[in-house]
């Protein structure tokens, strides 16, 4: 039975499709939006559309950016011979927050998962291999410690080993299955510093 008007039901439905938003939160958000001043709602809607329109993958590292080359890739202060491989832009942000990593990144946008039908061609692996043609000394694998993350790290390591480029993996201590973005900076730094060659 539809207790609300269709417009509100549709709004609740849209919110409930967002990650981490259950039925209750979706209702709360929908009613909050309906009660907001119209100009604020317009601003929210415009910001969402503009973010979607203007943000794309960096031509170098594939992170999300509104420029052709992201600020990290275009910085001369960064060491471009060290590439840290992460699953998504949120993980990149987690390492950037530590302020202690001076290399560059490569964002895969996912991890290999035979169970979910995600293969090597479904993530930004080709782009990574293309980057290795340049002067790269070390590849740091910082995928999550989930089954998918480990599978991905193993796959990349096998692929890269023959090139002679040093491949290392961040130390365990990052909780199994834990998303990197939720791990505190000290743990991340320890994982980075304690990385081992594989
Ligand atoms: Zn970039």
């Amino acid at each position: 039975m539809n207790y609300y008007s269709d417009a509100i039901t549709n709004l609740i439905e849209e919110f409930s499709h967002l990650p981490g938003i259950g039925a209750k939160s979706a209702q709360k958000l929908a009613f909050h939006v309906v009660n907001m001043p119209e100009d604020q709602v317009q601003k929210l809607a415009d910001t969402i559309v503009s973010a979607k329109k203007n943000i794309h993958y960096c031509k170098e590292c594939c992170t999300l950016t509104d420029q052709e080359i992201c600020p990290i890739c275009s910085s001369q202060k960064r060491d471009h011979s060290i590439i840290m491989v992460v699953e998504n832009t949120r993980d990149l942000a987690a390492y950037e927050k530590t302020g202690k990593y001076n290399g560059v990144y490569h964002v895969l946008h996912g991890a290999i998962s035979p169970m979910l039908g995600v293969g090597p061609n479904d993530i930004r692996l080709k782009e990574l291999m293309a980057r290795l043609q340049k002067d790269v000394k070390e590849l740091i694998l910082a995928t999550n410690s989930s089954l998918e993350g480990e599978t991905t790290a193993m796959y990349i390591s096998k692929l890269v080993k023959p090139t002679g480029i040093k491949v290392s993996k961040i130390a365990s201590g990052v909780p199994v299955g834990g998303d990197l973005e939720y791990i505190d900076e000290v743990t991340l730094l320890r994982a980075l510093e304690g990385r081992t060659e594989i």
Side-chain angles (χ1 to χ4, degrees):
M1 186 171 160
N2 193 352
Y3 297 99
Y4 311 122
S5 77
D6 283 351
I8 292 181
T9 308
N10 291 344
L11 192 55
I12 293 171
E13 169 118 12
E14 287 303 321
F15 278 128
S16 68
H17 293 155
L18 299 175
I21 306 289
K24 264 193 184 163
S25 301
Q27 273 191 29
K28 210 167 147 189
L29 286 171
F31 283 107
H32 179 79
V33 166
V34 169
N35 288 317
M36 271 162 71
E38 199 171 334
D39 60 330
Q40 276 184 33
V41 176
Q42 189 63 53
K43 196 176 160 203
L44 175 64
D46 290 348
T47 309
I48 293 172
V49 173
S50 144
K52 180 63 196 167
K53 270 194 191 146
N54 296 317
I55 292 177
H56 48 254
Y57 292 162
C58 165
K59 285 218 160 106
E60 277 285 314
C61 72
C62 299
T63 193
L64 297 170
T65 176
D66 55 3
Q67 290 150 322
E68 200 177 357
I69 305 282
C70 78
I72 295 171
C73 288
S74 48
S75 168
Q76 292 305 312
K77 288 185 189 140
R78 309 291 293 230
D79 184 347
H80 290 254
S81 69
I82 303 176
I83 301 177
M84 188 196 291
V85 180
V86 292
E87 289 183 24
N88 55 51
T89 295
R90 299 187 311 268
D91 292 346
L92 177 156
Y95 273 102
E96 273 308 279
K97 256 189 254 167
T98 67
K100 296 271 162 59
Y101 175 65
N102 194 41
V104 291
Y105 298 89
H106 188 84
V107 182
L108 294 171
H109 293 282
I112 298 169
S113 169
M115 290 257 291
L116 298 171
V118 182
N121 290 330
D122 300 315
I123 57 176
R124 300 275 156 165
L125 209 53
K126 251 186 288 158
E127 289 84 348
L128 174 65
M129 296 311 286
R131 290 178 75 185
L132 299 185
Q133 308 295 322
K134 293 183 195 162
D135 186 21
V136 176
K137 282 198 204 88
E138 183 180 358
L139 201 63
I140 303 171
L141 302 175
T143 49
N144 285 345
S145 51
S146 60
L147 179 63
E148 292 80 13
E150 293 292 342
T151 307
T152 308
M154 200 96 84
Y155 187 90
I156 296 175
S157 143
K158 273 191 192 146
L159 215 57
V160 176
K161 265 278 139 114
T163 65
I165 294 169
K166 180 178 171 189
V167 182
S168 61
K169 195 166 172 303
I170 56 166
S172 52
V174 174
V176 173
D179 276 356
L180 288 181
E181 58 174 322
Y182 296 121
I183 295 159
D184 68 86
E185 290 166 27
V186 178
T187 310
L188 274 188
L189 273 182
R190 229 180 268 149
L192 180 59
E193 278 159 10
R195 68 183 183 270
T196 45
E197 195 167 345
I198 55 169

